[in-house]
Amino acid sequence: MNLPHDDNTCGWYAALPPQGPARRLTGRQIADYAVIGAGFAGLAAARRLAAHEPHARILLIDAQRVAEGASGRNSGFVIDLPHKFALENPDPAFKQRLLRLNRAAIDQLQSLVEAHGIACQWSHAGKYQGAVGERGLAYLAHFEKLMAALGEPYRAVDGPDLARVLGTSCYSRAIYTPGSYLVQPAALVRGLAASLPENVELLENSPITRVERDGTGGYVLYGKDGEVRTRNLLLGTSIFTREFGYLENRLLPVMTFASWTAPLTEEQSKRYGGTFDWGLTPADHAGTTVRMTQDRRLIIRNTYKHVPKYGRSVGNATRDSIRVEHRKAFLSRFPALADVPFTHTWGGVYAISRNFTNFFGQLEDGVFAAACDNGVGAAWGTISGTLLADYAVGAQSSLLDDIHAVTGMPSLNPPEPFLGLGVRTRIRLAAWQSRAEL
């Protein structure tokens, strides 16, 4: 079984204070509900189960420490709009359902941040989608048409106005949409874990290596030093769902990478000349994401890798070469900041499907899963985990109707070695085509 194997290079995580010791799975445990995976989906599912059944014993189990995995490694966007590929859907009702789901997730996260005083740089900053050259501008023009058809507010920003925001004249034009939020993701995930209801028990550094039926309609979850017996299992395991024998040959593990700088000094901030606390995603999806954090760090994110063994697929040499490419992207945008060093370069694994379809639902009696976020995990993980708990207890809502309507079965992948060859070729081609936007 291939377990999560994330390294210790994530800047978001390193910026947080050290945690106390983890509570691990030991001995034989019995739970009314077990949730595997303590990312956005698992945390939301456990919280919602506790609200439905305050007297139930709920175990939330993660192979790592909370926020060490993908949920704490993203670029910190919580996006309300449908993903680029979903925006292409010809059905307006489909896109409106996604908007309702994403905005419900944002409202939920904001309420939790405020209620529990989670210090995570939560900010209603909106989002820029930017273009550098002709290819990016063509994508941006298409995005603008899609936004107009959707009826959502947006505004175009270019020239000196855009440079004053971003501190760089690299970008020709951008479309600003106001509904997205920015966050320090590792801090948010840690805060969500620290504020779980009392009947949720969090077990960390406790990988589950095998799940079996117990012969009475329930399941046994086996770990290194303990086991859990439960009749209800919820999987918030994203790409790792396939390691338990579910959705096999339907999910693709992809890792994307980011580097960030040391915080800018006052003198460097003057040279930078832009604003603080903004985020830009590329109009050309294979381009570069850029963020300026509230604590004055610049983030560069690009480069995709097919990682069949997850973190074990990437070593220091690969990370070092990616860091060099990130440095080129940084200097092309901020040449006046050549003296500002990168302090961390890291990757995070997520799941995509060939038909860009998210899975949500029941896998077998008593087993439920939300899997395959297709690269938009913060909002989608939160709402899919919440609604998965509703589904598991038999609750009904219009949002549950919405998520059933927009999810389905990820398509089958071709067998290896054709799958790996095809994915790597596609990634290299996309990078070459989008080289002006990197």
Side-chain angles (χ1 to χ4, degrees):
M1 184 179 191
N2 289 307
L3 294 169
H5 186 73
D6 292 306
D7 53 51
N8 61 359
T9 60
C10 178
W12 295 118
Y13 196 84
L16 299 178
Q19 294 191 91
R23 182 184 174 191
R24 300 171 185 258
L25 171 61
T26 58
R28 293 185 176 181
Q29 306 292 330
I30 298 176
D32 298 295
Y33 295 90
V35 182
I36 302 179
F40 285 114
L43 286 162
R47 188 182 298 275
R48 186 70 150 211
L49 286 171
H52 283 303
E53 303 207 23
H55 301 296
R57 187 187 188 203
I58 301 162
L59 296 184
L60 175 59
I61 310 164
D62 200 279
Q64 303 175 107
R65 297 303 304 267
V66 164
E68 281 187 347
S71 289
R73 291 172 170 266
N74 61 70
S75 295
F77 291 85
V78 190
I79 298 172
D80 63 332
L81 295 172
H83 191 270
K84 291 182 179 71
F85 300 105
L87 272 176
E88 301 281 353
N89 192 294
D91 181 7
F94 180 92
K95 289 178 276 194
Q96 290 300 324
R97 289 179 186 273
L98 286 172
L99 279 169
R100 286 194 294 271
L101 290 164
N102 290 340
R103 286 172 176 164
I106 289 172
D107 289 346
Q108 180 177 324
L109 289 171
Q110 178 156 331
S111 295
L112 291 169
V113 167
E114 293 173 352
H116 299 289
I118 301 174
C120 60
Q121 300 180 28
W122 181 261
S123 171
H124 189 183
K127 180 177 74 70
Y128 293 88
Q129 188 163 133
V132 176
E134 291 184 7
R135 179 179 169 87
L137 287 169
Y139 274 103
L140 197 65
H142 181 59
F143 175 70
E144 188 169 2
K145 290 179 181 178
L146 293 172
M147 289 299 298
L150 191 61
E152 286 295 308
Y154 70 92
R155 60 183 171 87
V157 189
D158 51 24
D161 291 338
L162 184 58
R164 277 192 290 270
V165 172
L166 306 181
T168 174
S169 58
C170 176
Y171 289 93
S172 303
R173 193 167 189 261
I175 298 294
Y176 174 79
T177 52
S180 296
Y181 284 67
L182 299 177
V183 69
Q184 208 280 35
L188 173 60
V189 174
R190 264 205 204 176
L192 294 172
S195 59
L196 286 167
E198 290 184 0
N199 61 323
V200 178
E201 301 171 48
L202 174 63
L203 305 176
E204 301 173 273
N205 287 342
S206 301
I208 299 299
T209 57
R210 192 167 85 255
V211 174
E212 293 182 353
R213 288 181 175 271
D214 67 2
T216 67
Y219 296 87
V220 185
L221 285 54
Y222 292 96
K224 178 182 177 183
D225 299 311
E227 64 183 55
V228 178
R229 293 181 177 268
T230 185
R231 298 189 70 84
N232 301 284
L233 173 60
L234 281 70
L235 299 175
T237 44
S238 186
I239 186 62
F240 297 99
T241 306
R242 64 185 197 163
E243 297 297 327
F244 298 108
Y246 301 112
L247 303 178
E248 288 185 287
N249 303 318
R250 293 184 183 273
L251 306 180
L252 289 168
V254 174
M255 183 176 281
T256 185
F257 297 84
S259 295
W260 78 358
T261 67
L264 301 188
T265 65
E266 287 299 322
E267 190 276 330
Q268 289 166 344
S269 297
K270 290 178 182 177
R271 269 189 276 146
Y272 157 66
T275 61
F276 299 95
D277 193 30
W278 54 263
L280 179 145
T281 59
D284 181 349
H285 62 86
T288 296
T289 294
V290 187
R291 266 202 66 188
M292 169 59 84
T293 67
Q294 288 184 7
D295 56 353
R296 302 189 177 191
R297 299 176 187 267
L298 282 159
I299 299 174
I300 297 291
R301 189 196 75 179
N302 60 40
T303 309
Y304 297 85
K305 297 286 184 184
H306 177 227
V307 285
K309 294 185 178 180
Y310 316 121
R312 292 188 184 277
S313 299
V314 175
N316 289 333
T318 299
R319 207 163 26 248
D320 288 346
S321 68
I322 290 169
R323 187 184 184 100
V324 170
E325 295 304 311
H326 284 176
R327 195 69 190 170
K328 292 177 183 177
F330 175 76
L331 292 175
S332 71
R333 288 160 173 80
F334 306 103
L337 299 178
D339 59 324
V340 179
F342 283 160
T343 61
H344 296 82
T345 297
W346 67 93
V349 183
Y350 64 96
I352 64 172
S353 59
R354 293 174 62 236
N355 58 351
F356 300 103
T357 296
N358 308 82
F359 179 84
F360 174 93
Q362 189 167 0
L363 293 164
E364 58 178 312
D365 289 345
V367 181
F368 304 84
C372 196
D373 56 39
N374 282 300
V376 285
W380 183 258
T382 297
I383 196 60
S384 64
T386 299
L387 295 174
L388 194 69
D390 288 354
Y391 190 41
V393 303
Q396 296 182 356
S397 69
S398 60
L399 285 175
L400 192 57
D401 294 338
D402 285 340
I403 201 167
H404 279 304
V406 300
T407 54
M409 182 60 71
S411 59
L412 280 169
N413 298 324
E416 293 289 3
F418 304 105
L419 174 63
L421 178 62
V423 174
R424 290 190 295 272
T425 301
R426 180 74 177 268
I427 288 173
R428 284 195 295 268
L429 176 62
W432 183 83
Q433 291 173 330
S434 306
R435 60 196 182 281
E437 302 295 317
L438 291 171

